[in-house]
Amino acid sequence: MPSKEVPEIVIGRLPIYLRALTYMGQAGQRITSSQELGETLGMSSAQIRKDLSHFGEFGKQGMGYEISYLRDQLRRILHLERTWPVALVGYGDLGHALANYNGFVAESFEIVAVFDNNPDKIGQEVAGKKVQDSAKLSKVVRERGIKVAIVAVPVAAAQKVVDMLVEAGVKAILNYAPIHVSVPAGIRIQYIDPIAHLQRMMFHLE
Amino acid sequence: MPSKEVPEIVIGRLPIYLRALTYMGQAGQRITSSQELGETLGMSSAQIRKDLSHFGEFGKQGMGYEISYLRDQLRRILHLERTWPVALVGYGDLGHALANYNGFVAESFEIVAVFDNNPDKIGQEVAGKKVQDSAKLSKVVRERGIKVAIVAVPVAAAQKVVDMLVEAGVKAILNYAPIHVSVPAGIRIQYIDPIAHLQRMMFHLE
DNA sequence: TAGATTGTTAATCGATTAACAATC
DNA sequence: TAGATTGTTAATCGATTAACAATC
């Protein structure tokens, strides 16, 4: 039965389950089980059943889960039945790669605005969008009601950009700048930190 | 005092501490405390002291930590006193951005070889390196003794590429392909999954 | 029905926090 | 010395796992 307080760590695994179900569905499969999902994802079946139990009962004893149904439910739970417009701030190499990435839409996101403060970059076109002056960030984000942003600016600019985004109404930020930024309560932030991932693995190497 | 079994979650935080110390040092600061570090990083001072205590005693009561000393110790613990040569597999937009990123060296990594299987890309030059045919991956990785790799290929190719890398002697893999790949015991793998990070935040949005 | 797998409970395991003696 | 902060212990908190009754 659904409970009030779902642990963040559980919510963080739902997109992983969703993706595995999508792949299975694309392969023409109709039914799966917690055991099969666990093997596919390298985790225990008990954990998958426990995680799902926070949100409802989606399977049938003896049968497992209907893939399309469970997938629909996870998309509903995660609010992925709509497409979220996203602002991208920072048009360096990384920003360029993100702006060109055409896999966002299938995952419920679409970069609708790109910002940079470098005059050489402002006005450049990427994937049908013109890079805009960061000075217009607040106005554009507010007018379009954008709630989600990706930050791909240098460390020195990250906190200021995040402050501007929050001020303009953004509620969820994906931050690629390798620094901790402060956000008010109620604003979500996630970090992408490949260097930290590489470095932690070196602990185990000679 | 150092213990034998350091939790993975603790090891994962060391690069975060290291980076904060680097920034403090660059700003000319000489001493810090667990409290200041905690405020900088949005975590408790107790956790920082507890984490560090797995590896030794690095501070002085009443004084705190000497930044350059603690930084050196963390670099030693994480095996970051050397530069690790890295193989990059996949030269799409993301691979291009990674190959051009010039921040790796300061963090103890250097991309020394880039691979792709697309004839149009093979031979292109990037940051002083030629993109090589993936068919040469095993040979090059083995000959150069490369132990670290970054995988930025499509989902359909990821498991095969990882298998090749492991076979060629790679021990640590940073995987950008949005799929779980299996590796033998003793091989480290970390995932970079921006979509999953975005999606999990949408749970909290309307 | 017989077999299989869920949803859930209770036990186990592990991580974080609070508190403080030690000590610089 | 007096004040400050570490390193560590014990308590608390939270997550994972194992087991199984329920049931498709």
Side-chain angles (χ1 to χ4, degrees):
Chain A
M1 65 207 67
S3 79
K4 306 127 220 165
E5 292 273 10
V6 182
E8 268 301 306
I9 198 164
V10 172
I11 295 162
R13 284 191 290 258
L14 297 188
I16 307 301
Y17 301 156
L18 174 58
R19 183 181 284 142
L21 292 165
T22 300
Y23 290 154
M24 286 174 172
Q26 284 170 355
Q29 194 176 337
R30 299 187 65 89
I31 302 285
T32 188
S33 63
S34 60
Q35 188 175 14
E36 185 185 44
L37 269 172
E39 283 164 11
T40 301
L41 295 172
M43 58 201 310
S44 79
S45 62
Q47 181 163 76
I48 291 168
R49 292 198 303 279
K50 188 81 164 66
D51 284 355
L52 295 177
S53 75
H54 287 96
F55 304 96
E57 307 188 358
F58 305 112
K60 285 201 176 66
Q61 282 97 328
M63 298 293 287
Y65 303 91
E66 199 200 331
I67 289 169
S68 68
Y69 175 73
L70 181 53
R71 180 169 180 276
D72 287 348
Q73 293 303 306
L74 289 178
R75 283 170 49 84
R76 177 184 57 75
I77 291 164
L78 287 167
H79 304 138
L80 301 177
E81 288 171 320
R82 48 169 295 192
T83 296
W84 293 89
V86 177
L88 169 64
V89 191
Y91 190 61
D93 276 315
L94 177 60
H96 185 265
L98 289 166
N100 271 320
Y101 178 59
N102 55 17
F104 277 120
V105 174
E107 311 292 353
S108 304
F109 300 95
E110 184 181 0
I111 294 175
V112 299
V114 183
F115 299 94
D116 202 292
N117 65 359
N118 180 338
D120 295 342
K121 289 175 181 169
I122 296 166
Q124 283 186 29
E125 201 157 318
V126 54
K129 299 164 289 277
K130 278 220 165 70
V131 177
Q132 301 180 73
D133 191 331
S134 297
K136 295 183 184 151
L137 189 154
S138 272
K139 184 164 173 288
V140 173
V141 166
R142 226 183 286 268
E143 282 180 0
R144 303 193 65 157
I146 294 172
K147 301 297 173 201
V148 184
I150 301 177
V151 173
V153 303
V155 164
Q159 182 68 61
K160 201 184 302 183
V161 164
V162 165
D163 292 345
M164 288 176 57
L165 289 166
V166 171
E167 175 67 22
V170 163
K171 302 295 183 196
I173 295 167
L174 187 67
N175 176 40
Y176 282 84
I179 190 171
H180 174 84
V181 292
S182 300
V183 291
I187 308 297
R188 306 282 151 180
I189 186 158
Q190 291 277 312
Y191 294 82
I192 301 290
D193 195 340
I195 295 284
H197 286 285
L198 282 171
Q199 289 184 334
R200 68 180 289 179
M201 290 193 285
M202 295 311 100
F203 175 82
H204 303 282
L205 266 58
E206 284 311 304
Chain B
M1 67 209 66
S3 78
K4 306 128 220 165
E5 291 273 11
V6 182
E8 266 303 304
I9 198 163
V10 171
I11 295 162
R13 283 191 291 259
L14 298 188
I16 306 302
Y17 301 155
L18 174 58
R19 184 182 283 142
L21 292 164
T22 300
Y23 291 154
M24 287 174 171
Q26 285 171 353
Q29 194 175 338
R30 299 187 64 89
I31 302 284
T32 188
S33 64
S34 59
Q35 189 176 13
E36 185 184 45
L37 269 172
E39 282 163 12
T40 300
L41 296 172
M43 58 203 307
S44 79
S45 63
Q47 180 162 79
I48 290 168
R49 293 197 303 278
K50 188 80 163 66
D51 284 356
L52 295 178
S53 76
H54 287 96
F55 305 96
E57 308 189 355
F58 305 112
K60 285 201 175 67
Q61 281 97 327
M63 296 294 288
Y65 303 91
E66 199 200 332
I67 288 169
S68 68
Y69 175 74
L70 180 53
R71 178 168 181 277
D72 286 348
Q73 293 303 307
L74 290 178
R75 282 169 49 85
R76 177 184 56 77
I77 292 164
L78 286 167
H79 303 137
L80 301 177
E81 287 170 324
R82 50 170 291 190
T83 297
W84 293 89
V86 176
L88 168 63
V89 191
Y91 190 62
D93 276 314
L94 176 60
H96 185 265
L98 289 165
N100 271 319
Y101 180 58
N102 55 16
F104 276 120
V105 173
E107 311 291 355
S108 305
F109 301 95
E110 183 182 1
I111 293 176
V112 298
V114 182
F115 299 94
D116 203 293
N117 63 2
N118 181 338
D120 295 343
K121 291 176 179 165
I122 297 167
Q124 284 185 30
E125 201 157 317
V126 55
K129 301 165 286 278
K130 277 220 165 70
V131 178
Q132 302 181 74
D133 191 332
S134 297
K136 296 184 185 150
L137 190 153
S138 270
K139 184 163 174 287
V140 174
V141 166
R142 225 183 286 267
E143 281 180 0
R144 303 193 63 155
I146 294 172
K147 300 298 175 202
V148 184
I150 301 177
V151 174
V153 303
V155 164
Q159 181 68 62
K160 201 184 302 183
V161 164
V162 166
D163 292 345
M164 286 174 59
L165 288 166
V166 171
E167 175 66 22
V170 163
K171 301 295 185 197
I173 295 168
L174 186 67
N175 176 40
Y176 282 84
I179 190 170
H180 175 84
V181 290
S182 301
V183 290
I187 308 297
R188 307 282 152 181
I189 185 158
Q190 292 276 312
Y191 292 82
I192 301 291
D193 195 341
I195 295 284
H197 285 286
L198 283 171
Q199 289 184 334
R200 68 180 290 179
M201 290 194 284
M202 297 308 102
F203 175 81
H204 302 283
L205 267 59
E206 283 310 304

